[in-house]
Amino acid sequence: MFSHAVTPQIKLSLLEERHAEALFHVTDQNRAYLRVWLPWLDSTRTAEDTRAFIRGTRDDFATRGWAVCGIWFEGEICGVIGYNQIDWTNKVAYIGYWLAENFQGKGIITACCRSLIDHSFRDLDLNKVVITCGTGNSRSQAVPDRLGFVREGVLRDAEWLYDHFIDHTVNAVLKREWGKAE
């Protein structure tokens, strides 16, 4: 199983079915907060829904190499980060993440992204990492900004969010830029 200590307080680990109850609890407790930017909250109503999500991530990891990890801060699960997709032909990874509201502002997502990007370039030999964010999601956008990503553009009406479309910024860093970006 993939597990990695990002810092002494932060750990990433592949999600397992045994994490479903705890992850669902965090999701449910943060439902209103997360719903502003994430389109899947209405379809995650029970721990069994979370368990099905975890099974899907495990299948994606086994068949496509797309790791999706739980984020633990001081032993408590507080969010998720991973590859939404890896385009192996073009060596591009697309990273997505979310974090419970009460864990915001501690540098957790930035540290986790840095670790996943290092893994993308060093271990997977990818050439590009992309993070897209809702254009109004300033907290999420701050992460690629902090990590030295280049804002490549805006995808208009990129995502249906319950009752309206939102635009996404497209942010990317290339392998040859990564050492310089930090």
Side-chain angles (χ1 to χ4, degrees):
M1 180 174 113
F2 174 82
S3 185
H4 174 67
V6 176
T7 71
Q9 296 85 19
I10 304 168
K11 179 181 143 190
L12 296 178
S13 185
L14 282 180
L15 289 168
E16 298 179 31
E17 287 190 51
R18 66 186 174 95
H19 301 135
E21 296 287 338
L23 183 58
F24 175 74
H25 179 73
V26 172
T27 303
D28 204 38
Q29 292 297 306
N30 288 272
R31 187 170 296 280
Y33 175 73
L34 297 172
R35 195 174 193 280
V36 174
W37 296 111
L38 299 175
W40 47 263
L41 273 295
D42 287 356
S43 63
T44 305
R45 289 288 179 203
T46 66
E48 187 52 42
D49 295 332
T50 301
R51 194 170 284 104
F53 164 75
I54 292 170
R55 280 194 295 271
T57 67
R58 301 292 293 196
D59 289 347
D60 283 342
F61 181 67
T63 60
R64 299 178 177 150
W66 303 357
V68 175
C69 297
I71 302 168
W72 278 261
F73 183 76
E74 296 179 349
E76 184 178 351
I77 193 163
C78 60
V80 172
I81 189 170
Y83 298 111
N84 291 333
Q85 177 186 358
I86 298 176
D87 175 345
W88 292 105
T89 301
N90 295 302
K91 297 186 169 211
V92 180
Y94 299 84
I95 293 178
Y97 46 81
W98 65 265
L99 192 66
E101 184 174 19
N102 60 318
F103 289 88
Q104 298 280 324
K106 301 177 188 300
I108 295 169
I109 289 293
T110 301
C112 291
C113 279
R114 184 177 288 115
S115 183
L116 200 56
I117 295 161
D118 285 342
H119 173 69
S120 299
F121 294 144
R122 181 189 61 238
D123 302 324
L124 302 180
D125 194 32
L126 298 174
N127 183 58
K128 185 176 186 176
V129 173
V130 176
I131 295 175
T132 65
C133 310
T135 54
N137 190 344
S138 59
R139 290 197 90 123
S140 191
Q141 182 60 55
V143 175
D145 289 348
R146 236 182 260 116
L147 292 170
F149 277 52
V150 172
R151 196 166 303 177
E152 294 187 336
V154 174
L155 297 173
R156 298 177 306 142
D157 286 354
E159 183 174 39
W160 179 253
L161 196 57
Y162 304 103
D163 62 356
H164 65 285
F165 283 104
I166 63 168
D167 298 344
H168 281 188
T169 60
V170 178
N171 310 277
V173 66
L174 302 176
K175 184 176 187 175
R176 67 180 176 265
E177 300 166 337
W178 181 238
K180 298 171 189 171
E182 295 188 291

